[in-house]
């Protein structure tokens, strides 16, 4: 005789055979989903770590490049400062010809410093995958660099009539003040570059 049926239900024997199989198949489906999610998470995490490392390498290269640019140019404003300060103290500059007393003078040339790595990191969002302390240090560095770049622009010689013999004495005094600020700023930026490279674990390279 057939197993006892409850209206609308499977026979007891059929249910006992079917239920374990359903459990196993359901477990396999869930396991497959979890495995796929874990693989996706692992791959995404690996991709983020790779992007963060690439960004960090770019930062190190750019900071070293900026540091080298600064080192190359530092002797020039330091030498100019000593000469402009001496002329300013003596008050002996009256004409443009007097500026010939300044040896090696070929204008005011601020260091060329770039922030491409920082702008790229901001645009791509890669900073969200880097450690907080690293991002904070880089942010402080590039903020200081931007201030230095703005400060090192020789605005005192811009504008109509800014560089005339009528105000050459004032220009010399302003140049001495400007060069004093620039040389001090260069020293501070050099320290900033070195300490940041040390923080990034790249301070041993020249």
């Amino acid at each position: 005789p057939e197993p006892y049926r409850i209206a609308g239900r499977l026979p007891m024997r059929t249910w006992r055979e079917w239920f374990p199989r359903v459990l196993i198949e359901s477990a396999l489906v869930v396991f497959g989903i979890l495995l796929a999610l874990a693989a996706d998470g692992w791959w995404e995490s690996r991709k983020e770590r790779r992007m963060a490392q690439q960004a960090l390498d770019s930062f190190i290269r750019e900071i070293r490049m900026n540091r080298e640019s600064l080192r190359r140019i530092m002797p020039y404003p330091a030498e100019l400062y000593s000469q402009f300060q001496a002329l300013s103290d003596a008050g002996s500059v009256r004409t443009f010809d007097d500026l010939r007393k300044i040896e090696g003078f070929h204008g005011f040339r601020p260091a060329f410093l770039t922030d491409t790595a920082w702008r790229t990191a901001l645009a791509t969002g890669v900073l969200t995958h880097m450690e907080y302390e690293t991002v904070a240090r880089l942010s402080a560095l590039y903020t200081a660099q931007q201030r230095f770049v703005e400060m090192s622009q020789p605005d005192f010689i811009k504008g109509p009539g800014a560089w005339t013999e009528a105000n050459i004495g004032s220009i010399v005094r302003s140049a001495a003040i400007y060069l004093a600020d620039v040389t001090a700023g260069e020293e501070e930026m050099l320290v900033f570059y070195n300490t940041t490279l040390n923080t990034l674990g790249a301070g041993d390279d020249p």
Side-chain angles (χ1 to χ4, degrees), residues 46-91:
R46 185 172 180 269
K47 179 181 176 182
E48 292 171 355
R49 288 195 303 271
R50 184 171 65 250
M51 289 176 59
Q53 186 59 51
Q54 290 174 343
L56 188 61
D57 293 340
S58 295
F59 280 123
I60 291 172
R61 286 194 298 270
E62 184 167 77
I63 293 170
R64 285 175 176 164
M65 181 180 67
N66 286 339
R67 182 180 63 176
E68 184 57 30
S69 296
L70 199 61
R71 283 174 171 171
R72 284 198 303 268
I73 204 170
M74 283 176 70
Y76 179 67
E79 177 59 29
L80 283 188
Y81 166 67
S82 63
Q83 295 190 62
F84 268 97
Q85 187 61 53
L87 289 175
S88 179
D89 292 341

Side-chain angles (χ1 to χ4, degrees), residues 183-194:
T183 52
E186 288 173 341
E187 292 289 348
E188 291 175 359
M189 283 307 306
L190 188 60
V191 172
F192 223 141
Y193 288 140
N194 287 332

